[in-house]
């Protein structure tokens, strides 16, 4: 007599697991876009493109930040169902605010909120999610540094918003 044990997951459980995977995957995609946008900014600054472009800033840099905004909004639209998703959702909202900030004070506020979110995060947050959220906080910090550096540069007329 064989003992066949079959386990099944309910459709709701499968949907919840897929939702969490989607949040994580979309957040990872957003962070890749943030890193690429920051890299584009550094390349543009090193090459002095802001001095030779007819636009206030280079189209490649603007496009990179617009893609970050789109991806952040996509993550923000997903309804958080767990503590992990709640942290990713909050950080995505802050990233969206940071990318579309129209003054340095808004960018500084996004950074402050990101720090608070990390400090208030549940102890049960998975290490992977915590690392990703910390990367998002670092990304906002780098945006603030880049914006501050550009605003000190008299040759640059473009400061904010990043995703105009």
């Amino acid at each position: 007599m064989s003992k066949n044990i079959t386990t099944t997951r309910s459709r709701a459980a499968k949907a919840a697991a897929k939702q969490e995977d989607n949040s994580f995957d979309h957040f990872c995609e957003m962070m890749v876009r943030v890193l690429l946008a920051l890299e584009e900014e550094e390349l543009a600054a090193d090459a002095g493109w802001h001095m030779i472009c007819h636009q206030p800033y280079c189209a490649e840099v603007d496009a990179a930040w617009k893609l970050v905004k789109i991806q952040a909004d996509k993550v923000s639209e997903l309804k958080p169902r767990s503590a992990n998703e709640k942290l990713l959702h909050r950080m995505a909202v802050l990233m969206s605010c940071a990318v579309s900030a129209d003054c340095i004070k808004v960018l500084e506020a996004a950074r402050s909120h990101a720090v608070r979110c990390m400090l208030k995060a549940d102890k049960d947050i998975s290490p992977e999610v915590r690392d990703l959220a910390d990367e998002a906080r670092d990304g906002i910090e780098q945006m603030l540094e880049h914006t501050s550096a550009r605003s000190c540069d008299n040759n640059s007329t473009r400061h904010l918003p990043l995703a105009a």
Side-chain angles (χ1 to χ4, degrees):
M1 181 175 189
S2 68
K3 294 183 181 181
N4 291 335
I5 299 174
T6 306
T7 59
T8 59
R9 293 173 61 186
S10 69
R11 287 185 181 164
K14 287 180 183 178
K18 185 175 183 181
Q19 164 84 19
E20 190 158 333
D21 289 344
N22 283 342
S23 292
F24 187 82
D25 291 345
H26 287 307
F27 198 89
C28 287
E29 179 68 24
M30 181 190 73
M31 289 311 303
V32 167
R33 292 185 187 283
V34 168
L35 295 174
L36 290 173
L38 288 168
E39 188 175 297
E40 278 290 333
E41 281 214 357
E42 286 188 25
L43 289 172
D46 290 346
W49 288 349
H50 63 281
M51 299 175 93
I52 59 174
C53 289
H54 291 50
Q55 301 294 329
Y57 212 62
C58 293
E60 292 84 4
V61 176
D62 288 338
W65 285 117
K66 285 178 185 176
L67 290 174
V68 171
K69 173 89 168 107
I70 290 168
Q71 195 66 32
D73 289 344
K74 187 182 289 188
V75 176
S76 300
E77 290 170 358
L78 298 173
K79 183 179 176 185
R81 298 181 183 195
S82 68
N84 286 331
E85 286 184 1
K86 191 174 182 180
L87 180 60
L88 294 179
H89 181 267
R90 286 180 177 165
M91 296 305 283
V93 169
L94 291 171
M95 184 64 69
S96 180
C97 289
V99 169
S100 58
D102 57 357
C103 68
I104 289 187
K105 287 183 181 183
V106 173
L107 197 52
E108 289 171 342
R111 179 190 57 186
S112 297
H113 286 305
V115 169
R116 274 188 252 134
C117 281
M118 292 301 299
L119 292 174
K120 290 182 179 180
D122 289 343
K123 306 274 188 261
D124 300 336
I125 300 290
S126 72
E128 296 84 7
V129 169
R130 189 172 294 281
D131 288 345
L132 267 179
D134 200 39
E135 286 291 323
R137 184 198 48 78
D138 286 345
I140 294 171
E141 181 70 35
Q142 287 180 330
M143 282 185 242
L144 185 59
E145 289 173 9
H146 283 220
T147 302
S148 297
R150 281 197 317 264
S151 64
C152 293
D153 178 11
N154 293 333
N155 295 325
S156 178
T157 60
R158 169 91 184 341
H159 310 301
L160 288 168
L162 298 171

